[in-house]
Amino acid sequence: MLRTALRNVLAHKARLMMTALAVLLGVAFVAGTLIFSDTVGEAIKKASTKNLAGVAVSVQAVPAENAPVTGKDGKRTTALDDKVADAVRALPGVQSVRRNVTGEATLAGPDGVPIGNDWQNMAANFQPDKDGHDARYPLLTGRGPAAADEIALDEATAKAAGHKVGDTVRFATDGPVLTKKLVGIVSTDDPQVTAGGSLALFDTATAQKLYLHPGQFDELVVAAEPGTDQQALTAKVREVLPEKLAEATSGADLAAEQARRVADQNKALSSTLLAFAGIALFVGVFIIANTFTMLISQRSREIALLRAVGASRRQVVRSVLAEAGLLGLVSSVVGFALGAGIAVGLRAVLDANGAGFPDGPVVISPAAVLSSLAMGVVVTVLAAWLPSRKAAKIAPVEALSTVEAPPALRSLVIRNVLGAVVTALGVAVMFYVSTLKSSDDLPIAMAGSILMLTGVIILAPLLSRPLVSLAGVVATRLFGIGGKLATQNALRNPRRTAATASALMIGLTLITGMTVVGNSAQQAMDKMTANGLKADYKVQNANFTSLDVALSKKVADLPGVEAVAPLRSVTFQADGLYTDLTGTDLAAVGKVARLDFTSGSQAHGADEIAISRTAAKEKGWHTGETVNATFDDKKTAKLKISGIYEDNQELTSALGATSLVDPHMAPVKNDKLLVKARGGATGELEKQIRHALGESPLLKVQDHADLRKENAGKIETLLYIVYGLLGMAVVIAVVGVVNTLAMSVFERTREIGMLRAIGLSRAGIKEMVRLESVVLSLFGAVLGIGVGVFLSWASGNLVSQGLPTYELLLPWGRLALFLLIALVVGVLASLWPARRAARLNMLEAIGAQ
């Protein structure tokens, strides 16, 4: 029977080619994801290990309990100073102590655009030895910074900024632009820098002045003498550290923690990619099952003969499963090779978009190989299991007298009843989801979606009759006999039609659902921006650091500026609940932000606040009520609620005067500025605002169009990523349509010959096959779009929690585009089968068995 299975694979390789392609693509997706994860994870791990080479103990400063992270001057304070560093250096077994100061510095590129990623723009102190070299940052050209007006950059940062030694470097740490002379270029193995960040180096005194206080450090890196036990040395270091103000970690523990963080960082991306790979393979299941069902029908005489000469039912099942296993194995091997290429390409694409993964070779682990091959083989064998059971039930005498028997009515009845029950259960769950409003209920929505999608797949044969018949009416009127024949062919085997259309339906359901939710969220964000903001500009730092309060007056004094409202925030506790309070200029805020009061009015004094409608509902507060507030600095105040306003994304849960907020801030700084222009936003006024604020590379001056692009652009980018990932499932579904049509043409060889004999032209044959393909594709598209729209409607409330203005808005243009794509898919998928059918020799076709 094994030889029979092998012979069948070789004998029907052309018919199995499309099935193999479906398995190949699904496995390639899985393999690519696993190889990509292993490659990136290993590269980051090696970079981290190299970066920690020679680190026996790391001593980190810990903020004092209840102490602010930054002082009144805006700088951090740590307990690590020269005294502590000298005490650690004096311990036996310590070879050296490196005294690190770290911070962030954003450099301006040639066009003024910031270089690197906001969260990876590193700054540190250069610590030269007696020869002027720093082993941590080897010099490539020039020398290390030694004065307050000097800076060094890593090679990649200098190249990105277009700088060479001797140039003036413009950068910012937390506000105004600073300039220093570039005196050296270094190399670094720091994974945060090599993964798309930047690095600026200063002498120690300058770094302390920028980020800390004189004589203070963020970290002490201890190198041990050869043969020293790391854990024992770490225990000794802990004994000389200020209690609760610093902590020591061994180099081994630090490396293990970094490895764990790397695994966690890769886990989310890998899980997402594997989920899409699973969808692709799930779609492939329908194609595999369809193919083997048709092959078994075509080989019924052969199977009957095997049964007649003594083959048992188990042997027939094993033969079909062995055939599927061989097909899965060969396809998986090729798919794995393709997956390696996908992994390399994916890494290159992400790097080109700023991911900046560390360099490293492609890693192909045994686990990735075995998992990918096993996945392909198991999926193929499982998909072929039901067709194999059907093959085993073929009675020798019955099979020798007929080519294909229609499905038993009872089996379809049972299937329809089961599908109706599962679909009804899924619909009921989704109606329940439509009453939920928390994103924490997303698992319930996912379960309901899976139930409903499964139910529709089961019901697809029943649904195919009315929908395909309706499409057939249109096709018959437009194309005459070709449309009628195509409709009858599609209705001939509802199961086959359902399986072929379901593969396309799954992909389009997910794409439609994501599109509808994404479009509605985009519109909600646009509405929030338009409704909540009267200001023409919002000004803030890109890294969310604060703005100097003096800058708001500079902007207000600009010609063409009508009003400026600074926004700064603190938190207070009342009735056991925390509330974010925004302090602003109460006289100007009404000109820059839309405040619609449902009761009461705006606050007027330092002891009054207005609160948002959502906050009032959550906390049970009402206009005129007085609350006892305890601020983060432990100061208390009695605050009267002057009014309740509709939620506004630019404001927090409560709104009060700056005189209320300022005593609880150290230092007093603005989060952002809202600027109203007299004549509306203009390019010239934007330049003036930037100039007044020091032309800092951190600065973001955004008008309404910029805000819409920033808010909605993220969703648009996410949608395009989803389209790309789900596109694999759609491609596999297209392969399924081609496969079904090609094998259907083979099944109907004699019938096609008879049609040619009674006068149907080759063009008519092509038209018939093409229309059948279009009907199948449109059936899957209508089901997918319909289910996708319903699921997105039912899940809408889960999104509305974070977007109060969210409402379901159907993107009719895109939905029409999806139908058009399905139409094009149907036409393209039919090209090869239609050409093959039209080229059949009439007499040979009539005489075919």
Side-chain angles (χ1 to χ4, degrees), residues 70-143:
T70 58
K72 292 185 177 181
D73 57 1
K75 298 176 183 178
R76 303 189 308 277
T77 298
T78 79
L80 298 182
D81 52 21
D82 288 316
K83 182 180 178 181
V84 175
D86 291 341
V88 173
R89 178 66 184 86
L91 292 172
V94 173
Q95 186 178 70
S96 64
V97 175
R98 182 179 178 85
R99 309 172 191 210
N100 290 341
V101 179
T102 58
E104 294 180 358
T106 302
L107 276 68
D111 53 0
V113 176
I115 290 173
N117 298 319
D118 295 337
W119 62 93
Q120 291 176 272
N121 293 330
M122 309 292 295
N125 57 323
F126 188 84
Q127 302 175 56
D129 55 20
K130 60 182 180 180
D131 296 323
H133 297 284
D134 186 341
R136 178 69 181 80
Y137 303 110
L139 281 164
L140 298 176
T141 58
R143 60 177 176 81

Side-chain angles (χ1 to χ4, degrees), residues 413-436:
V413 170
I414 294 174
R415 175 171 178 160
N416 292 339
V417 171
L418 178 62
V421 171
V422 175
T423 303
L425 184 59
V427 170
V429 172
M430 294 312 296
F431 271 114
Y432 170 68
V433 168
S434 68
T435 66
L436 305 176

Side-chain angles (χ1 to χ4, degrees), residues 568-583 606-612 615-616 619 621 625-643 645 652-657 660-662 664-665:
R568 42 190 184 259
S569 59
V570 294
T571 303
F572 69 84
Q573 185 178 4
D575 300 333
L577 301 172
Y578 285 95
T579 302
D580 294 323
L581 170 64
T582 295
D607 60 346
E608 290 187 351
I609 60 171
I611 60 173
S612 68
K619 304 173 193 304
W621 293 347
E625 185 177 346
T626 299
V627 297
N628 296 315
T630 302
F631 292 87
D632 288 343
D633 58 2
K634 304 304 180 184
K635 295 178 182 178
T636 60
K638 291 183 179 296
L639 304 177
K640 182 180 178 180
I641 299 175
S642 64
Y645 58 88
T652 53
S653 301
L655 186 65
L660 170 61
V661 171
D662 290 356
H664 309 290
M665 299 184 72

